[in-house]
């Protein structure tokens, strides 16, 4: 009953029929190449001999369709909260019970090596195929296979080995750990052992699902050191394990689909990125790991679609916290695990966004040549890495980390050996949450008080890129520091991007440059050219190439004739003695085929007037002023950030915003003042608490 | 074990204490108002709560800014092993943006065992730095940038500060910029776009107050009872020391010391030299040791210059000083000579010299730079007509006369009277 009915109907009933439609129904299920290397003795003891690949008896499905009361959920607003689900017994005193305290198995070098070997032949094959030029792989974004619909970016269970797809049935319904029946009654999930219990089977029975964490009586007893005997299942009924349990006891794999294609022989393959359970990392399971936590490994493999069992859902902490009824196959993934260096790294949410965007940009049908290119690179790179692993720092891989070429190699090494517990298990107080939201770095969900300006920028850019001949489009934005100039432009660009994704606006390219981050004004040509074409040339050459490009227009080439939006922050830094840099940049938009839009940002209001007349005539026409915030606006900015956090008095916010508005109207300053105030209070509270502790002890 | 041995051991203990900033600053570390705990809170909260911060440590030289910072960083490195990397820059060495960014890249590479290339451009190094900040943030590692002589970084375009502070505006980075400066207005030197990004946390390091000085001296000099030294020696040593500390004479010594410079480092230097003056035979600190230390630490070249002046030269100085007391702003050799004569006339002294002898004495004083001409004009004038001034204060003159071997009583009387 953990499952929502929707999902059950989607994945199961189709499975039998679609198998016939499958052009090449391979009778013996292919085995995913990678997993074989994992230490066999542990698992082989647990193998149960029933090699049917996708067992889904009708009986269980029907039971499932009938029985789906709402899964009791607890919503805790802390991000690593637990989706309360219903489970089937995992630990009992029986013979086939799973030892919960698995000895941590670290994927050692040997294993890494083996995995690689499994992959390499495949990529070579693909290279050969391409060179023959007969048939090519066809890439898909979405495949309906074996009754399930799989898209790029989905997470799936993958069979680990043929025999390991063990149990008779593939239960989607949990049974109560006490009475071993599923039934309609509400069940609750223990946060420790993930076992499910009927509310009425508990001793004493519970009326409703309690708030917060809940741990079952068995786990509590075990924690206090007592021997625990779980109730045995009734005779004749075999204990069944869900896929989730199998995964967490490493009888299955979970992967993230990166790409899918049809091989020349008609079989479907996908490239998967493995997920790793905490036990398989070098650090082992750490006390703060959640039961449903997985790590994303930086390890890929090509897998045949046959070995997919079904979908699972791996979420980031935010989604996981708000997960409701996805059922049993929900997992949390917050960290990436580097299998070479055995280190952890947080997954960046921003990273995700960018990837999504790129995917959306490129076309639906990927050209196979593109992909095999990247494959080749991958292999090279892996080999390189292996060299480093086994021969230490060999001559070949001696690339300095700070030079551009070597960057990809060096930065991989950075990561924690263990995830520090204090980061995870720390419960934030109100004040700490206030401090976190007041950070300058945290981007607010909405940008209050700049609606008019945002609208103006949007209409400017839209007008420029929708126009076929955008002539002389320059916007000069000025305002004192901390009034949201850059932020507004970037927000507009984010909105536009989503519109491009939705197909309402033509695609464009966006180049962002900060004048203060350039070593010299001339370097801007190089940076622009690199951003547009991806090639690195020196600045003189870049100027020449850019001049050609913008004055003559571009002939052919993909994506190149997209309009280009150039955002130059701190424009005043580009002013040289003869002002040629600014002149060149501002002259390009006036060329008929340039399709260039320039947005300049600076602090001074009269920058165009200080420049040569030929520049100011090109730049000074369209201007946008970001005035300093007044105190109401600052107040609104602060209080929208602090919404839902009860840490500040209203007068305090007003005081801070009035003071800042009187001096500079700098939003950064106001936020910092509030954060500092919270910090001081926090300091006082913590100090007095520690003093009390000392006094009492 | 002889007394000398004991004293030697005690001496070693005291010296090692004086050279160990950890010990010196430990009495300040537990109270909530101390800079130590404030700084530690700011830094540790940015480690645990994954936020970016920037702090300025301001205060005159020798107040322990760097010492406290070192202590805090050392503690944090122990507390959160493997989570902090410290990048140290000095304004005197790295005020040039290009070389500062290169140095940051180099230190980051060393810290994370990466290969570093010297031949890389500013842009690449900046990119590398920003990339590293991001990666470190993702791996829960805090990067601390310590910028010593912060005011020197605020020259020119302030590209480095802008880059650093702007990189801290992103969610993924986790970094702290700590500026150390002896200019109290260091944050006003920042350009306004840089200042807007700076998070305006300032810690002021002031020289310790008189009570704090006393406490500090006691903290450093009192021997611990639980050391390897025999108990009765320690007790005796401490009793004598406390006796000295309570004396009015000692307080005067400390006052004169702190009048000129009341910073911690000056006090430590003073105590070090006092400890070094300790007599190993008796094995105890005496008040004479402190006096000797004071005179050795406060070398006064003017007083020493006075020591080998002739009596006539002393007369000249006193005359000039009398003229200054009478608020006669400008005077030259002739007016000094007149004054000298009037003194001679009224007191009938035995030391009366001819004018040309006096002129020689005047020139001698000029050479010694105890006096000088008022201005640099009138080089063609002869010495006796150019206006002159004293370069020695009343206090110094008084001290000098007092310590002079055979100072005429009349001069002492004159200077006492005019007080």
């Amino acid at each position: 009953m953990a499952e929502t009915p929707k999902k059950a109907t989607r994945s199961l009933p189709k499975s039998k029929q679609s198998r016939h439609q499958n052009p090449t129904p391979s009778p013996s299920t292919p085995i995913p190449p990678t997993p074989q290397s994992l230490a066999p003795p542990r698992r082989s003891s647990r193998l149960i001999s029933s090699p049917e690949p996708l067992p889904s008896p009708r009986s269980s499905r029907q039971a499932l369709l009938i029985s789906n009361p709402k899964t009791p959920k607890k919503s805790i607003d802390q991000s690593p909260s637990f989706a309360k689900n219903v489970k089937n017994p995992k630990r009992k005193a029986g013979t086939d019970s799973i030892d919960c305290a698995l000895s941590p198995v670290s994927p050692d070098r040997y294993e890494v090596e083996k995995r690689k070997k499994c992959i390499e032949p495949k990529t070579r094959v693909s290279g050969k195929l391409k060179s023959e030029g007969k048939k090519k792989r066809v890439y898909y974004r979405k495949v309906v296979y074996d009754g399930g619909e799989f898209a790029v970016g989905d997470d799936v269970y993958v069979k680990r080995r043929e025999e390991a797809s063990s149990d008779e049935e593939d239960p989607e319904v949990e049974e109560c750990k006490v009475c071993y029946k599923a039934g309609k009654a509400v069940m609750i999930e223990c946060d420790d052992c993930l076992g499910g219990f009927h509310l009425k089977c508990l001793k004493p029975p519970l009326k409703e699902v309690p708030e917060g964490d809940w741990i079952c009586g068995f786990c509590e007893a075990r924690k206090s050191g007592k021997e625990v005997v779980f109730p045995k299942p009734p005779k004749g009924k075999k204990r069944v394990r869900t896929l989730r349990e199998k995964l967490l006891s490493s009888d299955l794999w979970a992967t993230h689909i990166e790409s899918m294609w049809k091989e020349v022989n008609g079989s479907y393959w996908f490239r998967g990125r493995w997920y790793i359970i905490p036990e398989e990392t070098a650090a082992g399971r750490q006390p703060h790991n959640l039961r449903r936590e997985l790590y994303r490994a930086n390890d890929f493999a090509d897998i045949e679609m046959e070995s997919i069992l079904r979908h699972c859902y791996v979420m980031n902490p935010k989604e996981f916290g708000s997960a409701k009824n996805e059922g049993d196959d929900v997992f949390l993934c917050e960290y990436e695990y580097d299998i070479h260096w055995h280190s952890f790294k947080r997954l960046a949410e921003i990273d995700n966004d960018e990837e999504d965007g790129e995917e959306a940009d490129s076309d639906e049908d990927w050209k196979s040549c593109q992909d095999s290119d990247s494959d080749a690179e991958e292999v090279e790179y892996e080999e390189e890495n292996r060299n480093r692993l086994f021969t230490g720092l060999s001559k070949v891989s001696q690339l300095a980390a700070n030079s551009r070429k070597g960057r990809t190699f060096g930065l991989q090494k950075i990561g924690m050996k263990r995830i520090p517990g204090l980061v995870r298990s720390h419960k934030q107080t109100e004040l700490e949450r206030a401090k976190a939201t007041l950070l300058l770095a945290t981007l607010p969900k909405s940008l209050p008080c700049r609606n008019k300006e945002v609208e103006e920028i949007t209409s400017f850019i839209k007008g420029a890129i929708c126009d076929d001949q955008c002539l002389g489009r320059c916007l000069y934005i000025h305002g004192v520091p901390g009034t949201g100039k850059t932020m507004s432009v970037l927000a507009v660009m984010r909105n536009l991007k989503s519109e491009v994704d939705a197909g309402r606006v033509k695609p464009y390219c966006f180049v962002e440059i900060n004048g203060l981050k350039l070593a010299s004004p001339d370097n801007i040509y190089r940076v622009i050219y690199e951003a547009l074409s991806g090639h690195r040339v020196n600045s003189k050459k870049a100027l020449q190439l850019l001049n050609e490009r913008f004055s003559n227009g571009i002939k052919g080439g993909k994506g190149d004739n997209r309009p280009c939006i150039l955002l130059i922050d701190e424009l005043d830094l580009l002013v040289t003695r003869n002002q040629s840099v600014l002149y060149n940049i501002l002259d390009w938009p006036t060329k008929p085929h340039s399709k260039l839009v320039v947005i300049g940002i600076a602090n001074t209001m009269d920058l165009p007037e200080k420049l040569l007349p030929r520049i100011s005539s090109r730049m000074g026409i369209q201007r946008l002023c970001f005035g300093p915030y007044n105190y109401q606006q600052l107040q609104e900015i602060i209080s929208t950030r602090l919404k839902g956090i009860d840490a500040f008095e209203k007068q305090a916010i007003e005081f801070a915003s009035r003071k800042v508005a009187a001096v500079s109207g700098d939003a950064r300053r106001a936020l910092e003042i509030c954060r500092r105030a919270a910090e001081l209070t926090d300091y006082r509270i913590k100090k007095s608490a520690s003093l009390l502790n000392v006094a009492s002890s | 074990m002889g007394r000398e041995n004991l004293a030697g051991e005690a001496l070693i203990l005291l010296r090692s204490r004086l050279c160990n900033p950890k010990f010196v600053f430990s009495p300040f570390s537990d109270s909530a108002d101390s800079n130590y705990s404030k700084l530690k809170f700011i830094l540790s909260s940015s480690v645990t709560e994954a936020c970016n911060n920037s702090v300025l440590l301001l205060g005159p030289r020798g107040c322990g800014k760097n010492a406290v910072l070192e202590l805090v960083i050392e503690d944090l490195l122990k507390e959160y092993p493997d989570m902090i990397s410290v990048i140290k820059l000095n304004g005197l060495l790295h005020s040039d943006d290009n070389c500062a960014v290169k140095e940051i890249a180099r230190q980051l590479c060393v810290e994370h065992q990466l290969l570093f290339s010297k031949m890389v451009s500013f842009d690449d190094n900046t990119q590398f730095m920003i990339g590293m900040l991001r990666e470190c943030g993702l791996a829960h590692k805090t990067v601390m940038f310590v910028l010593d002589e912060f005011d020197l970084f605020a020259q020119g375009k302030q590209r480095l500060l802008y880059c650093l502070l702007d990189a801290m505006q992103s969610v993924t980075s986790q970094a702290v910029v700590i500026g150390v400066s002896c200019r109290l207005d260091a944050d006003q030197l920042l350009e306004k776009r840089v200042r807007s990004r700076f998070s305006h946390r300032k810690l002021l390091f002031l020289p310790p107050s008189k009570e704090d000085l006393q406490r500090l001296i006691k903290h450093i000099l009192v021997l611990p009872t639980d050391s390897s030294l025999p108990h009765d020696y320690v007790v005796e040593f401490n009793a004598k020391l406390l006796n000295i500390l309570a004396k009015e004479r000692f307080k005067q010594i400390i006052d004169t010391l702190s009048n000129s410079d009341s910073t911690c480092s000056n006090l430590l230097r003073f105590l070090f030299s006092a400890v070094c003056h300790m007599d190993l035979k008796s094995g105890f600190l005496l008040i004479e040791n402190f006096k000797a230390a004071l005179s050795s630490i406060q070398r006064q070249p003017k007083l020493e210059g006075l020591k080998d002046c002739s009596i006539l030269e002393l007369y000249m100085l006193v005359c000039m000083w009398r003229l200054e007391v009478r608020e006669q702003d400008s005077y030259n050799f002739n007016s000094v000579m007149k004054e000298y004569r009037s003194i001679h006339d009224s007191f009938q002294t035995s030391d009366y010299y001819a004018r040309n002898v006096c002129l020689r004495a005047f020139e001698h004083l000029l050479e010694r730079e105890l006096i000088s001409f008022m201005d640099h004009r009138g080089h063609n004038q002869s010495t006796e007509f150019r206006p002159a001034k004293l370069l020695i204060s009343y206090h110094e003159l008084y001290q000098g006369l007092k310590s002079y071997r055979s100072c005429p009583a009349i001069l002492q009387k004159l200077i006492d009277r005019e007080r």
Side-chain angles (χ1 to χ4, degrees), chain A residues 334-335 344-348 350-351 388 393 397-404 407 409-417 419-420 422-424 426 428 432 435-436 439-443 480-482 486 514-521 523 526-527 536 569-570 572-573 603-604 666 668-669 672 675-676 679-680 682-683 686-687 691, chain B residues 29-34 37-38 41-42 45 47-54 80-83 105-106 109 112-118 120-128 130-132 134-141 157-159 162-163 166-172 174 191-203:
Chain A
E334 196 184 355
Y335 287 86
F344 299 95
K345 212 183 271 180
R346 241 178 336 147
L347 289 176
I350 303 146
D351 200 9
R388 285 160 70 98
L393 293 170
S397 58
Q398 287 233 345
L399 284 166
N402 58 337
S403 77
R404 189 160 284 223
R407 179 160 310 130
F409 296 101
L411 298 194
Q412 308 236 320
K413 273 173 77 171
I414 300 156
M416 294 305 277
K417 287 283 167 249
I419 302 166
L422 63 112
V423 185
R424 301 293 302 279
H426 184 64
Q428 281 181 311
E432 279 165 344
K435 269 157 66 180
L439 266 181
L440 293 183
T442 47
L443 210 64
V480 292
T486 314
N514 193 319
L516 249 182
K517 288 181 186 167
L518 297 168
S520 78
N523 276 5
R526 218 185 63 197
V527 177
R536 276 164 74 86
D569 214 340
E570 315 292 356
D572 49 332
L573 264 292
N603 293 140
T604 42
D666 183 343
R668 288 199 194 105
R669 192 71 193 271
E672 274 299 330
R675 187 160 78 96
R676 179 75 185 137
E679 202 175 278
L680 284 175
D682 200 23
Y683 176 71
K686 278 186 182 153
K687 274 290 154 188
L691 280 182
Chain B
S29 62
D30 10 296
S31 82
D33 294 331
S34 67
S37 43
K38 281 178 192 162
F41 180 78
I42 292 178
S45 75
V47 174
T48 55
E49 288 162 33
C51 54
N52 300 308
N53 259 329
S54 38
Y80 308 104
D82 217 21
M83 284 179 73
R106 192 189 67 77
C109 283
H112 296 279
Q113 288 107 39
L114 300 172
L115 283 167
F116 170 74
S117 150
K118 279 191 284 185
V120 166
S121 69
F122 175 83
D123 283 354
D124 277 1
N125 271 331
T126 327
Q127 294 251 322
F128 170 73
I130 291 166
M132 278 298 276
R134 189 185 128 90
E135 297 290 319
C136 287
L138 290 180
H140 293 299
K141 285 187 181 182
K157 295 252 166 80
Q158 310 185 350
R159 206 165 251 140
Y162 184 87
C163 282
D166 202 54
M168 288 169 42
Q169 312 272 313
S170 86
V171 202
T172 39
Q174 190 176 341
E191 241 187 279
K192 61 181 191 275
R193 57 186 153 211
V194 180
R195 202 186 315 153
S196 158
R197 284 166 173 83
F198 174 69
S199 69
H200 290 274
R201 278 154 183 69
K202 283 186 274 185
L203 288 179

Side-chain angles (χ1 to χ4, degrees), chain A residues 108-110 112-113 116 338-342 382-394 397:
Chain A
D108 47 9
R109 277 179 189 180
Y110 166 72
V112 169
E113 163 78 337
K116 286 285 137 51
D338 190 308
I339 53 165
H340 306 294
W341 300 101
H342 301 299
E382 272 156 6
E383 249 154 11
E384 191 93 38
N385 246 359
R386 210 140 27 91
N387 276 346
R388 285 160 70 98
L389 271 176
F390 295 109
T391 60
L393 293 170
S394 66
S397 58

Side-chain angles (χ1 to χ4, degrees), chain B residues 195-235:
Chain B
R195 202 186 315 153
S196 158
R197 284 166 173 83
F198 174 69
S199 69
H200 290 274
R201 278 154 183 69
K202 283 186 274 185
L203 288 179
L204 196 57
F205 285 73
L206 289 176
S209 64
K210 262 189 191 152
E211 294 78 49
D212 281 344
L213 275 181
Q214 283 284 341
R215 219 157 52 108
L216 195 59
I217 292 169
K218 220 186 235 174
H219 170 72
I220 291 169
L221 292 184
V222 169
L223 289 179
T225 45
D226 53 349
S227 69
S228 59
L229 296 165
H231 185 72
D232 45 346
Y233 172 72
V234 171
V235 170

Side-chain angles (χ1 to χ4, degrees), chain A residues 472-493:
Chain A
R473 293 286 190 162
C474 284
L475 180 65
Y476 176 63
I477 299 176
H478 59 91
V480 292
T483 48
K485 300 180 294 296
T486 314
M487 185 194 65
S488 301
V489 177
L490 292 181
V492 168
M493 297 318 288

Side-chain angles (χ1 to χ4, degrees), chain A residues 195-480:
Chain A
F197 299 88
H198 282 129
L199 289 184
K200 62 177 191 305
C201 292
L202 294 169
K203 283 176 223 168
L206 286 174
K207 278 258 166 56
E208 52 190 19
V209 180
E211 281 290 310
D213 292 359
W214 179 80
I215 292 175
C216 68
F218 302 111
C219 293
E220 255 167 39
R222 193 165 40 85
K223 269 188 190 162
S224 53
K226 281 181 225 159
E227 282 277 307
V228 188
V229 183
F230 280 93
K232 293 215 169 123
K235 274 231 167 121
K237 189 159 183 184
K238 208 167 159 269
R239 215 190 122 267
V240 285
R241 293 192 297 156
T242 55
L243 291 182
R244 185 261 310 157
E245 278 177 78
K246 285 187 214 162
L247 173 70
L248 291 186
S249 54
S250 56
D251 283 350
L252 285 177
W253 291 82
T255 48
H256 182 82
I257 301 179
E258 302 272 316
S259 61
M260 294 187 287
W261 67 90
K262 190 165 87 178
E263 274 297 348
V264 189
N265 60 7
S267 58
Y268 286 83
W269 288 77
F270 70 93
R271 165 161 270 256
R273 183 171 197 166
W274 298 113
Y275 287 107
I276 276 189
I277 61 172
E279 279 84 357
E280 287 175 338
T281 62
R285 177 169 279 279
Q286 295 169 49
H288 53 75
N289 279 138
L290 302 178
R291 304 272 359 155
R292 287 176 177 274
E293 180 155 357
L294 298 175
Y295 297 122
R296 194 172 85 181
N298 57 347
D299 186 20
F300 300 85
D302 292 351
I303 309 165
E304 198 160 356
M305 295 278 280
E306 269 296 318
S307 49
I308 293 181
L309 287 177
R310 65 159 190 240
H311 276 281
C312 60
Y313 304 94
V314 182
M315 305 176 159
N316 65 30
K318 225 179 237 164
E319 292 166 353
F320 189 74
S322 58
K324 284 276 183 284
N325 262 334
E326 272 80 357
D328 190 29
D329 304 319
V330 178
F331 298 96
L332 166 77
C333 178
E334 196 184 355
Y335 287 86
E336 182 180 311
Y337 181 69
D338 190 308
I339 53 165
H340 306 294
W341 300 101
H342 301 299
S343 60
F344 299 95
K345 212 183 271 180
R346 241 178 336 147
L347 289 176
E349 293 102 300
I350 303 146
D351 200 9
N352 246 339
D353 289 349
E354 278 169 14
E355 274 170 20
D356 286 353
E358 263 166 51
E359 269 167 25
D361 269 357
S362 52
D363 285 332
E364 290 274 316
D365 51 340
W366 291 347
K367 292 274 177 280
S368 55
C369 55
Q370 273 183 331
D371 208 81
S372 48
D373 270 2
S374 70
D375 267 355
E377 269 170 29
E378 210 93 42
V379 173
E380 255 175 47
Y381 155 71
E382 272 156 6
E383 249 154 11
E384 191 93 38
N385 246 359
R386 210 140 27 91
N387 276 346
R388 285 160 70 98
L389 271 176
F390 295 109
T391 60
L393 293 170
S394 66
K395 280 271 149 52
V396 193
S397 58
Q398 287 233 345
L399 284 166
N402 58 337
S403 77
R404 189 160 284 223
K405 267 179 131 181
R407 179 160 310 130
T408 47
F409 296 101
L411 298 194
Q412 308 236 320
K413 273 173 77 171
I414 300 156
M416 294 305 277
K417 287 283 167 249
R418 299 174 69 89
I419 302 166
L422 63 112
V423 185
R424 301 293 302 279
S425 49
H426 184 64
K427 281 260 188 304
Q428 281 181 311
T429 61
E430 284 281 282
L431 271 176
E432 279 165 344
R433 276 173 54 207
K435 269 157 66 180
T437 54
L438 286 174
L439 266 181
L440 293 183
T442 47
L443 210 64
K445 284 178 208 87
S446 63
L447 310 170
C449 313
R450 284 290 178 222
N451 299 331
K452 211 182 97 226
E453 284 85 355
V454 165
E455 252 167 50
E456 209 159 313
I457 299 170
T458 314
S459 65
F460 168 76
I461 295 176
K462 269 193 181 169
I465 56 178
C466 291
D467 213 5
D468 273 339
Q469 283 206 334
C470 41
L471 273 177
R473 293 286 190 162
C474 284
L475 180 65
Y476 176 63
I477 299 176
H478 59 91
V480 292

Side-chain angles (χ1 to χ4, degrees), chain B residues 375-394:
Chain B
D375 45 30
H376 294 287
R377 282 174 298 156
H379 285 289
N380 44 3
Q381 275 178 333
S382 60
T383 321
E384 55 244 74
F385 301 110
R386 289 179 68 184
K389 67 178 176 198
L390 271 179
L391 287 182
I392 183 169
S393 71
Y394 162 74

